[in-house]
Amino acid sequence: AVRGQASFAPGAAAPISILFGGYVAPAAGGVLFGATHDRDDIGLDAREADHRRNLAALGAVLPALAARLELATLSAHVGVRATTADYLPIAGQVGDGLFVLTGLGSRGFTLAPLLAEHIAAVALGRPSPLPAAIAALVDPGRFAKRAKRRPGGQR
């Protein structure tokens, strides 16, 4: 589990969306930016300290925008991200007609569209947009395959 808090500044404006280790994006009614990344924390409470961390990360890249947003009354979206033991997402078929896309951690914004295309291609029997080596990295069966290769079948 990885807790994340994104900050929202209502009424503010950002010129464009930018990824920089964090992100900032214009959103309906304001600006969304963040987010924190705290392993083994499942708290869903909004934290002022996390707003400050998000502003500091934004300030390192866009100091003028961060200075404007420091004056805003911020609200928070807090969630717990699903991750996997190897920190790679799971994307593919797990049963007869059942496909999953999970374990994206903090990479959902960037990986979900491509992995959704991969799943659609697999489901339809079409070529995947992923090279075979990359598809193997996100294959749902990878943990079982690794366990079989280890002495005693341990993960």
Side-chain angles (χ1 to χ4, degrees):
V2 177
R3 179 189 181 277
Q5 178 173 314
S7 299
F8 181 73
I16 58 173
S17 296
I18 300 173
L19 292 172
F20 52 86
Y23 61 87
V24 61
V31 174
L32 183 67
F33 63 101
T36 60
H37 190 266
D38 299 312
R39 292 195 186 286
D40 300 320
D41 184 345
I42 59 170
L44 295 175
D45 55 311
R47 300 174 186 168
E48 186 59 34
D50 287 356
H51 284 316
R52 288 193 301 274
R53 287 170 52 197
N54 288 338
L55 283 165
L58 180 61
V61 178
L62 298 169
L65 179 58
R68 275 192 305 122
L69 297 182
E70 280 182 15
L71 304 174
T73 300
L74 301 176
S75 62
H77 173 75
V78 181
V80 177
R81 302 172 183 108
T83 59
T84 62
D86 61 4
Y87 305 109
L88 294 172
I90 295 172
Q93 189 169 5
V94 294
D96 191 27
L98 179 62
F99 296 82
V100 297
L101 175 54
T102 188
L104 295 166
S106 59
R107 297 178 194 91
F109 280 160
T110 55
L111 293 179
L114 176 61
L115 293 177
E117 289 287 334
H118 166 69
I119 290 172
V122 171
L124 296 171
R126 308 272 185 189
S128 170
L130 299 180
I134 302 298
L137 289 174
V138 299
D139 181 71
R142 70 183 183 267
F143 299 106
K145 290 174 188 171
R146 289 176 192 161
K148 286 181 182 177
R149 290 193 303 254
R150 291 194 175 101
Q154 297 178 7
R155 287 188 178 182

